[in-house]
Amino acid sequence: MRFKIKHNLTADQADKLIEKYYEGFTTVEEERQLKAFLAQTGLPERFKAEQAIFGYFETKQSKPLFNLRSYIRWVGAIAAMFIIGFGIQTFTMYTSSDYAYVDGVKITNKSKIKTQALASLSNVAADNNEVEQSLENLNDNELMKQQLEVFSGLSK
Amino acid sequence: MLLLITCFGILPKLQAQSDLQISKVFDQYGERRGAVMVELTNEMLNGYEFSLFKSITISNNSAASEFIRKYLERDEVGAKKVKQVVTNGVLTSIYLQLPRKGQFYRLILFNETFKPESKITLIYIESKNDSEDVLKLILKKK
């Protein structure tokens, strides 16, 4: 008759399983049950040796929660990526992206680009007084709007 | 890694005028014949420092002028008009102060002339300095 494994082993059942374990006949499930049994505290003295054996395997098989070397490696990799990213950003910000297209032909000569830029500014330029007057009007309009709002509040 | 390159390298470039409709004008006509497109970054012009200066001048292209006017109209929303000239019901000149974007003051300048030839000029400016000062400094040079 086959020995039936229960979830909670008794000490006698554990003895039989340990014997079976040493003979090399235990199944994976039985070993799991045995480990669970031996992981308990307050077991009789006779289980100390098996607890040590299974405890040894337990610690060897389980992964450490914190591995400094791998942590440093990850931090290093992330830092390197950020440095590269920051470098790219700085490069794209400060390297010259200045250009001009004249009839579809690209120009990168700085002085020629500036000449074209100044020419376009000259095209939109108006008389200075006209602009100043417009700016003043803009401010006057805002003042009038504020005053109208005050009066509309009084009339309510 | 690709994500980082995208975040750090490309996105800042897209920030410049991505929210504006006139960016389509630069995309559409910038590299065509009969057009002059300029882009300058962190440069002094007329003694004034621009973070971004972008302009396009298109000659003898009525379709382009209609195209620009259409998108200018959309960018006018929320902007202050410093100057506007309408001739025979058609917008021929406008200066727009756009709402600040972060630390940048922004301006759109548009002008169309018909003599000696039909010429449209559209300028987009970003600067850390007040846009009213930009206008005064640029335009008094004429």
Side-chain angles (χ1 to χ4, degrees):
Chain A
M1 190 182 160
R2 264 190 89 167
F3 184 77
K4 195 175 177 184
I5 302 294
K6 290 176 186 170
H7 287 294
N8 296 318
L9 294 177
T10 62
D12 290 342
Q13 287 170 329
D15 278 330
K16 284 176 187 170
L17 265 188
I18 288 166
E19 199 177 314
K20 203 176 167 187
Y21 174 79
Y22 285 130
E23 287 167 0
F25 295 129
T26 45
T27 62
V28 175
E29 178 58 24
E30 285 168 340
E31 283 176 22
R32 194 188 63 76
Q33 293 283 332
L34 200 52
K35 272 184 197 172
F37 173 80
L38 292 167
Q40 296 174 96
T41 54
L43 288 176
E45 278 294 312
R46 68 174 191 275
F47 291 111
K48 285 282 178 203
E50 282 74 27
Q51 272 188 311
I53 292 165
F54 278 85
Y56 168 75
F57 284 121
E58 194 80 31
T59 51
K60 203 169 184 191
Q61 283 169 3
S62 64
K63 286 185 180 174
L65 289 173
F66 180 80
N67 185 333
L68 186 64
R69 189 174 289 181
S70 114
Y71 175 77
I72 290 169
R73 207 173 291 163
W74 271 106
V75 169
I78 291 165
M81 283 202 287
F82 268 93
I83 289 166
I84 293 166
F86 188 72
I88 292 165
Q89 189 186 30
T90 311
F91 182 77
T92 51
M93 273 179 78
Y94 294 102
T95 52
S96 179
S97 63
D98 303 341
Y99 61 83
Y101 275 93
V102 179
D103 288 329
V105 180
K106 192 174 184 178
I107 294 169
T108 51
N109 181 299
K110 202 68 168 269
S111 64
K112 285 183 181 172
I113 298 168
K114 274 192 168 184
T115 305
Q116 293 295 348
L118 290 168
S120 60
L121 273 174
S122 160
N123 289 340
V124 295
D127 185 65
N128 187 38
N129 294 332
E130 188 185 339
V131 177
E132 278 183 356
Q133 186 62 51
S134 300
L135 289 170
E136 279 168 20
N137 289 342
L138 194 72
N139 293 333
D140 288 348
N141 287 341
E142 281 178 358
L143 185 67
M144 280 194 287
K145 197 179 168 187
Q146 283 170 6
Q147 287 171 342
L148 282 168
E149 278 171 5
V150 171
F151 282 111
S152 66
L154 286 173
S155 62
K156 280 177 190 173
Chain B
M1 191 68 186
L2 277 171
L3 185 70
L4 274 172
I5 290 168
T6 309
C7 291
F8 283 104
I10 298 165
L11 289 180
K13 286 270 166 193
L14 293 175
Q15 285 169 6
Q17 21 139 29
S18 57
D19 62 325
L20 297 175
Q21 295 295 315
I22 56 153
S23 64
K24 290 173 184 153
V25 178
F26 295 101
D27 296 340
Q28 183 89 5
Y29 290 97
E31 296 175 27
R32 287 197 188 181
R33 282 188 71 82
V36 176
M37 180 169 71
V38 177
E39 184 170 325
L40 281 168
T41 48
N42 302 314
E43 195 59 54
M44 293 281 285
L45 279 176
N46 277 355
Y48 200 83
E49 195 170 346
F50 296 95
S51 303
L52 177 66
F53 178 94
K54 200 157 181 175
S55 73
I56 186 165
T57 304
I58 306 167
S59 302
N60 303 315
N61 191 331
S62 56
S65 62
E66 287 307 312
F67 188 85
I68 293 171
R69 270 190 276 271
K70 184 173 80 176
Y71 288 113
L72 265 174
E73 209 170 291
R74 294 182 190 173
D75 287 334
E76 271 181 49
V77 180
K80 284 182 185 175
K81 282 180 203 168
V82 177
K83 176 200 165 189
Q84 180 175 260
V85 178
V86 177
T87 310
N88 296 326
V90 179
L91 178 77
T92 52
S93 186
I94 194 164
Y95 299 166
L96 294 173
Q97 280 181 312
L98 299 169
R100 271 176 69 176
K101 193 174 185 186
Q103 58 184 332
F104 296 109
Y105 289 90
R106 304 184 302 159
L107 279 173
I108 294 175
L109 313 173
F110 167 76
N111 195 58
E112 184 171 15
T113 54
F114 299 96
K115 287 178 183 175
E117 59 172 350
S118 168
K119 191 188 277 183
I120 319 147
T121 304
L122 177 70
I123 300 177
Y124 173 73
I125 290 167
E126 275 182 13
S127 176
K128 286 180 183 172
N129 303 308
D130 195 324
S131 51
E132 286 187 11
D133 296 338
V134 181
L135 277 171
K136 285 174 187 170
L137 267 163
I138 297 167
L139 303 174
K140 76 181 175 188
K141 293 280 175 176
K142 189 163 186 177

